[in-house]
Amino acid sequence: MTKFEKEMFQYNGGFLMYAGAYEGQPTYGEVYGADKCHPSRIDMPKELFVARFKYSKAPITKAKFLKELIKNHTVEGYAAALASGKAPLEVLREKNPAWYEGMMMNALLT
């Protein structure tokens, strides 16, 4: 199982992606099909979508989310949970309910 590396995260336009290599990482050719992908990208590994940060005043910020993600999750486990249809915050909440409840209580108190 591969641990998340902080320097491999990319944030652009509200989307947080992970560009580090991990076991079972799909390529652009596998995701989009060889006929719909530029030939130079067919065998390149596809970045993992981590989360979208849409609201600036949300109780769980990108920094808090990243800290919890890096501390308690592996890349393969997180990718599998997202592939099963779970939302990013739901994955973190199920693994560490105390962290989630603490974040929500702090938001209510402030």
Side-chain angles (χ1 to χ4, degrees):
M1 296 304 230
T2 311
K3 295 291 284 176
F4 281 103
E5 297 176 35
K6 189 173 185 176
E7 54 276 348
M8 298 306 290
F9 287 98
Q10 301 171 346
Y11 182 70
N12 189 12
F15 291 89
L16 183 65
M17 307 292 281
Y18 185 74
Y22 61 94
E23 189 176 322
Q25 183 176 17
T27 63
Y28 278 92
E30 293 170 348
V31 174
Y32 299 111
D35 57 328
K36 295 182 181 176
C37 188
H38 191 274
S40 66
R41 295 193 75 123
I42 289 177
D43 293 325
M44 287 181 68
K46 172 129 178 36
E47 298 88 2
L48 173 67
F49 167 80
V50 177
R52 179 175 181 211
F53 294 91
K54 190 173 179 179
Y55 304 107
S56 61
K57 305 262 187 224
I60 298 178
T61 63
K62 180 175 70 107
K64 292 174 185 176
F65 184 93
L66 269 175
K67 184 177 179 181
E68 176 64 20
L69 181 69
I70 293 168
K71 182 179 176 184
N72 290 322
H73 294 270
T74 62
V75 182
E76 292 86 359
Y78 187 77
L82 290 181
S84 72
K86 293 182 181 174
L89 191 54
E90 182 182 0
V91 176
L92 270 62
R93 182 182 65 218
E94 286 181 358
K95 180 103 176 202
N96 190 352
W99 170 82
Y100 179 80
E101 293 299 324
M103 291 290 133
M104 292 297 119
M105 288 303 289
N106 284 341
L108 290 174
L109 296 175
T110 57

